[in-house]
Amino acid sequence: MMKRKALLAACFLLAFLVAAKPYSTEEKFFRDIPSKKPVVETPTHVPELYIFRRSKGAVPVHYTYPVKKINGDWALAYKDFIRLVGEKRMGYFPEEKIITINQINRIYMAADKAVVVRSSGRAEAASYPTFDGDALYVPLVFTLKEMGYGINLSDDGSRLLILPPEDQTKVVPDRAVKVGSISPYRDGAMATEIYDISTTQIMGWGEKVPGGMGSFFQINEKQSIRFIGDLALDAPVYYDDETKSALAVDGQRLVIYSLDKMSRKSYPLPYAMEGAERICYDRGHVYFQRPGGIYAYSPKSKVLKRVVDRDTEDFDVQDGRIIYRRGGVLFIHEDDREDRPLDSKAAHFSLSASYILLDDGDLGLVTILDRDTLQAVSFAAYDKNKGHSVKLMGDRYLAFGQGRLVQLKDLDSDATYLLDMVNIEDTLKGRRVLWLYNGSVLKGYVYGDGRKIAQTITVHP
């Protein structure tokens, strides 16, 4: 009888243990969440997917399963996702149908569960994993952002660039930064243009009275501002790095101001330049754009000639070489050579003695081409939804930044610094900073919202 009772007790205990089988740690997160199948679509047109690689630029993303939409958001098959980010970044529990993201600070998602679980707790998810046939699909943008990736979708939705997270070197600027207006400039929306960094001094131009008198200035290592004359001029429209001089159009005059020699020369404005749509200055010649072509004018000799015999939409010039846009296509023009097209959708471009800088703001991609071979030699990518600055200095160094983050590239050696400024004012983090680098010293000129400020950040990388 005692044996029978013991046997019955053991059976009851076993039944209790089976019934009370504990949930796995991951499964507990979702056990009280009802399943809800999201809407899955197979769109006719999908964006071209690219991932940014610093040595190659925008590289096409290859996938074996069709791209879908989950509740209106782009989605990629889990197996393709793994190939994209690597097996160490994601995991999958097939029995529980749970996906994990990151090994540290884990994030959990489950098939047909409209929540995401973080260390801070659960939150509702607009799009979430689900199966389409036998393939598990994962929301593309949402999941990548949870991993720290950036996403740039072109305005027309035809291209999508994925920006992998990069490790930044923490750097403390040499000087503390305090936000304030240029003194004696008045507060207000004033035009300020920074041209160059000579040794450790920043050179620029700014208005002393909004819409009125302006002057050139220098900001030295101690943050002191030195004004170079008071000029009742319109803002200089172009600066020539090689001659360290700037061109301004003042009524019926062309004014060329040398920042090095502190000299100023005026010339009559030729009749052909009246109504010019864009003006550039290069090696003593004034280039301008009119219907029918691009013209070059020498103020000293008063010689005028047409250098590009076709309508253009925009252009830049350096050492007599011209880059221009026509019909949405970029071309390089050189004397005694047929114009060459560039395979680029960049809206902004500039030339230096050795390079072509292309800034595709629609995709958030900067490409540097060798000016002779037109081959890409360097790349940088940025969040297109935030302000950025890009400056090619000394025909060798690329300074490229967003707020307090900056990349420095030596185009001769391909060395790259990735810097993250620390201990700076919180008010600077969201502002646009023009970064200038001369190979040894990095300076940041901080632009404020609604007014221009002359505070600079100095860093020795």
Side-chain angles (χ1 to χ4, degrees):
M1 186 70 178
M2 292 293 295
K3 289 183 178 180
R4 185 176 179 184
K5 288 182 178 180
L7 181 61
L8 287 173
C11 291
F12 281 122
L13 177 62
L14 180 61
F16 174 79
L17 291 174
V18 171
K21 176 187 174 182
Y23 287 94
S24 66
T25 302
E26 296 81 13
E27 197 174 359
K28 286 181 180 179
F29 298 145
F30 301 96
R31 64 184 180 185
D32 60 338
I33 304 297
S35 295
K36 182 180 180 181
K37 184 76 174 178
V39 177
V40 180
E41 303 172 75
T42 304
T44 306
H45 300 287
V46 300
E48 298 175 10
L49 301 183
Y50 299 93
I51 186 166
F52 176 74
R53 302 300 186 194
R54 200 184 306 153
S55 61
K56 298 179 180 179
V59 178
V61 173
H62 299 289
Y63 47 88
T64 56
Y65 293 82
V67 176
K68 304 278 186 176
K69 275 191 172 183
I70 296 178
N71 282 355
D73 295 332
W74 295 110
L76 207 62
Y78 175 80
K79 292 183 178 179
D80 290 326
F81 224 113
I82 287 293
R83 297 189 191 98
L84 178 66
V85 301
E87 294 183 357
K88 293 182 178 180
R89 299 299 305 275
M90 295 184 73
Y92 179 56
F93 298 91
E95 291 186 6
E96 296 87 354
K97 299 179 181 179
I98 293 174
I99 294 174
T100 63
I101 302 172
N102 302 331
Q103 293 181 344
I104 303 175
N105 298 324
R106 280 236 171 151
I107 299 167
Y108 299 87
M109 297 186 296
D112 299 336
K113 303 283 187 175
V115 295
V116 57
V117 180
R118 306 182 183 90
S119 58
S120 57
R122 292 191 311 203
E124 185 178 353
S127 58
Y128 41 92
T130 191
F131 281 88
D132 188 66
D134 295 332
L136 174 62
Y137 274 81
V138 182
L140 178 65
V141 175
F142 174 82
T143 308
L144 286 174
K145 285 186 175 180
E146 291 288 341
M147 292 181 174
Y149 286 71
I151 302 294
N152 287 340
L153 182 65
S154 63
D155 293 339
D156 62 2
S158 64
R159 298 180 296 164
L160 188 148
L161 178 64
I162 300 167
L163 312 178
E166 294 184 305
D167 293 331
Q168 303 277 343
T169 300
K170 301 293 184 180
V171 177
V172 180
D174 294 349
R175 294 189 58 83
V177 176
K178 294 182 180 179
V179 177
S181 64
I182 290 180
S183 176
Y185 283 21
R186 300 176 185 175
D187 291 345
M190 295 173 290
T192 305
E193 186 69 28
I194 300 301
Y195 295 122
D196 210 340
I197 175 172
S198 178
T199 60
T200 60
Q201 294 192 65
I202 287 179
M203 298 186 293
W205 178 94
E207 294 177 350
K208 294 191 98 174
V209 179
M213 182 177 291
S215 69
F216 291 93
F217 61 83
Q218 295 176 349
I219 305 176
N220 63 23
E221 187 69 17
K222 295 181 180 180
Q223 298 268 104
S224 297
I225 298 177
R226 173 173 171 253
F227 295 98
I228 310 175
D230 290 331
L231 309 173
L233 298 173
D234 289 334
V237 294
Y238 199 73
Y239 174 74
D240 184 18
D241 291 314
E242 184 177 341
T243 62
K244 305 297 182 187
S245 58
L247 170 72
V249 180
D250 183 23
Q252 295 298 311
R253 297 182 302 162
L254 294 172
V255 181
I256 298 173
Y257 198 97
S258 173
L259 273 68
D260 280 351
K261 300 177 181 178
M262 296 178 63
S263 63
R264 165 185 172 185
K265 293 184 180 180
S266 298
Y267 302 91
L269 183 75
Y271 173 77
M273 280 190 65
E274 293 183 5
E277 298 173 8
R278 173 166 164 75
I279 301 173
C280 293
Y281 181 57
D282 177 59
R283 298 188 305 176
H285 288 80
V286 181
Y287 291 78
F288 59 94
Q289 176 182 304
R290 286 186 61 92
I294 298 173
Y295 297 79
Y297 176 70
S298 172
K300 290 184 178 180
S301 64
K302 298 183 179 179
V303 173
L304 175 69
K305 65 177 181 179
R306 184 161 55 181
V307 291
V308 175
D309 190 16
R310 56 174 66 181
D311 287 334
T312 60
E313 297 153 10
D314 197 5
F315 79 99
D316 190 28
V317 59
Q318 179 73 36
D319 296 338
R321 186 178 295 186
I322 298 171
I323 180 172
Y324 66 89
R325 180 185 289 109
R326 174 181 169 84
V329 179
L330 295 178
F331 293 87
I332 288 291
H333 171 85
E334 300 172 271
D335 292 339
D336 304 323
R337 187 172 186 174
E338 185 177 352
D339 292 1
R340 295 179 289 168
L342 297 178
D343 183 17
S344 173
K345 297 182 180 180
H348 305 285
F349 50 84
S350 62
L351 287 169
S352 73
S354 305
Y355 300 103
I356 301 172
L357 188 152
L358 303 173
D359 186 357
D360 185 348
D362 194 39
L363 197 60
L365 180 67
V366 172
T367 303
I368 306 295
L369 305 181
D370 181 279
R371 211 176 74 165
D372 294 322
T373 65
L374 303 186
Q375 297 298 310
V377 297
S378 188
F379 305 91
Y382 57 90
D383 183 345
K384 61 170 286 187
N385 299 310
K386 298 179 181 179
H388 75 285
S389 67
V390 54
K391 184 75 172 178
L392 187 58
M393 302 293 299
D395 197 37
R396 176 173 175 177
Y397 300 103
L398 177 67
F400 169 83
Q402 289 193 286
R404 69 182 224 180
L405 303 178
V406 61
Q407 298 183 32
L408 304 178
K409 291 178 176 287
D410 183 344
L411 299 178
D412 283 0
S413 67
D414 203 31
T416 300
Y417 296 99
L418 300 172
L419 307 180
D420 181 2
M421 308 300 160
V422 296
N423 294 347
I424 65 173
E425 298 280 346
D426 289 339
T427 51
L428 299 184
K429 295 179 182 179
R431 298 182 187 270
R432 184 170 70 91
V433 185
L434 177 62
W435 298 99
L436 305 103
Y437 182 55
N438 63 6
S440 60
V441 176
L442 171 71
K443 279 189 173 289
Y445 181 85
V446 184
Y447 288 82
D449 298 325
R451 65 180 184 177
K452 305 302 181 184
I453 57 179
Q455 302 300 322
T456 59
I457 301 167
T458 303
V459 180
H460 295 273

